[in-house]
Amino acid sequence: MGVTIGDVAAHAGVSKTTVSRVLNGKGEINKNTVLKVQQAIAELDYVPSARALAFARGSTRTVGMLVPDLAWVYSGIVQSVVDTLEAEGFGLRMLSVSRGEESLRSLGLKVAAKSFDGLLVIEPEGALEYITALHEASLPIVLIDDRFRRPGFPFVATTNREGGAQAARHLLESGRRRPLVITGPEAYGCTRDRLGGFVDAYAAAGIEIDPRCIVWGDFQFESSRCSVERALADGVEFDSVFAHNDPSAAGVLAALHAAGREIPRDVAVVGFDDVELASYTYPALTTIRQPMREMGEAAALLLLEHVRRSPEAAASRIIPTSLVIRGSTQQPHSP
């Protein structure tokens, strides 16, 4: 059995009524008493029923958004969420887990105090179990781009596997038969999906990718640059590179330029995500567009449906990727 309001009251040395008043923000309560109750909630990891709190206090017209440390990567999602919520008359409260367990305890206190009506999550590592517990306690939650596995609550994701296949088909149509793949972190579901779709598309064309041409990466510019340098030094033959995100692809371009390889004549390069950087590399980067803004809008609207207890609320949504062709795979036409 989970922690109850009675457990919190006993731990804080107050009555259950006092705990309830702190949770619901009702009545005048001594500041020291409030602090004792909040400390008890944090120490016991108490997760109150969001449904009961909503009934007691009504809507805050505010949505929380939990983001990982590298929130800038998801700026398109965040801006779309802000725009969508604003149009619906809701505000946004940004949260992070940069301090690990301390941040999760702080999140628990904010849920306990009913600081927001629902939670959007760009999944921070190690927090899924805690977030699931909040959902099971009736807090409306929507996960954006789950990287590991399908959660037990609503999510908005994209077609990572099909995106990998789109990259492969484009390279195959361009006559590229010897690709080098710079992946993302091996533990990420999106990495496995992007690699699986890419490898399967080449297999369907009768081409088995040399295991030496699959390099596990970390989504970072510098490591990708070094990976390409090592491949060149080791004499690995490749006529194209599929990098699992755009910063990695930028690192690939840097290494190829330094080695005197002409892009795309000697080596074609495809990235993934279509972040702003992709338009400003030289040459501009062909990439698989992950629909960040559409995902943010869909997630915000889906969460509001669940906050409003709409009977038509969808379980989840999948928004497809698309290929964006630029100069890193396509030679400019001569005048």
Side-chain angles (χ1 to χ4, degrees):
M1 183 177 177
V3 178
T4 67
I5 194 170
D7 297 327
V8 174
H11 195 78
V14 299
S15 69
K16 289 193 290 185
T17 300
T18 298
V19 174
S20 179
R21 288 168 63 197
V22 170
L23 292 174
N24 295 326
K26 292 183 175 179
E28 294 184 5
I29 307 173
N30 181 278
K31 289 184 179 179
N32 289 333
T33 300
V34 173
L35 289 174
K36 283 197 300 183
V37 172
Q38 290 178 337
Q39 183 176 355
I41 289 169
E43 291 176 354
L44 296 176
D45 287 333
Y46 172 60
V47 180
S49 167
R51 189 186 302 273
L53 287 172
F55 178 78
R57 295 191 60 196
S59 174
T60 65
R61 309 290 298 179
T62 299
V63 165
M65 187 169 189
L66 189 63
V67 298
D69 291 340
L70 296 178
W72 62 269
V73 175
Y74 305 100
S75 59
I77 288 178
V78 174
Q79 186 59 57
S80 182
V81 165
V82 170
D83 294 343
T84 303
L85 291 175
E86 184 177 287
E88 295 288 329
F90 277 71
L92 180 67
R93 182 168 186 170
M94 296 295 293
L95 310 161
S96 77
V97 289
S98 58
R99 300 188 307 278
E101 289 297 322
E102 181 183 347
S103 295
L104 291 179
R105 285 195 295 271
S106 176
L107 172 62
L109 288 174
K110 291 180 177 66
V111 173
K114 193 57 177 64
S115 298
F116 41 79
D117 298 329
L119 185 65
L120 291 168
V121 179
I122 299 177
E123 186 190 329
E125 294 182 37
L128 184 58
E129 183 176 348
Y130 189 83
I131 294 164
T132 300
L134 294 177
H135 169 73
E136 290 173 349
S138 297
L139 178 70
I141 297 178
V142 171
L143 181 66
I144 303 174
D145 190 19
D146 56 315
R147 297 177 297 177
F148 298 92
R149 59 181 185 268
R150 295 289 185 256
F153 49 86
F155 62 86
V156 172
T158 191
T159 52
N160 283 299
R161 189 175 190 88
E162 173 58 21
Q166 288 170 322
R169 289 193 292 267
H170 175 60
L171 291 175
L172 285 164
E173 289 166 2
S174 302
R176 312 292 173 156
R177 297 293 184 268
R178 301 188 306 277
L180 177 71
V181 182
I182 310 293
T183 77
E186 189 171 1
Y188 286 7
C190 64
T191 294
R192 296 192 298 273
D193 286 345
R194 292 171 192 181
L195 179 60
F198 189 87
V199 170
D200 286 353
Y202 264 87
I207 300 172
E208 182 177 352
I209 298 176
D210 185 337
R212 292 194 310 158
C213 289
I214 298 176
V215 181
W216 295 102
D218 60 4
F219 285 151
Q220 302 299 315
F221 175 98
E222 187 60 25
S223 64
S224 296
R225 184 184 65 80
C226 291
S227 293
V228 172
E229 288 178 347
R230 283 194 299 271
L232 291 170
D234 291 343
V236 176
E237 294 186 4
F238 57 92
D239 59 11
S240 54
V241 182
F242 173 41
H244 277 196
N245 75 345
D246 293 338
S248 294
V252 170
L253 294 175
L256 293 173
H257 284 310
R261 300 295 179 95
E262 187 172 332
I263 307 164
R265 188 192 67 184
D266 299 330
V267 183
V269 179
V270 179
F272 205 109
D273 286 339
D274 196 27
V275 299
E276 187 175 6
L277 167 70
S279 298
Y280 299 118
T281 59
Y282 179 75
L285 186 62
T286 291
T287 187
I288 302 301
R289 181 175 180 270
Q290 185 169 204
M292 298 287 193
R293 290 194 63 87
E294 292 91 331
M295 290 169 69
E297 178 182 8
L301 291 174
L302 180 58
L303 180 64
L304 292 183
E305 287 180 359
H306 286 275
V307 165
R308 292 162 174 161
R309 312 291 178 187
S310 169
E312 291 82 26
S316 297
R317 283 198 60 189
I318 304 290
I319 302 177
T321 55
S322 57
L323 173 68
V324 179
I325 300 174
R326 298 192 181 99
S328 67
T329 61
Q330 184 170 277
Q331 294 273 17
H333 295 293
S334 300

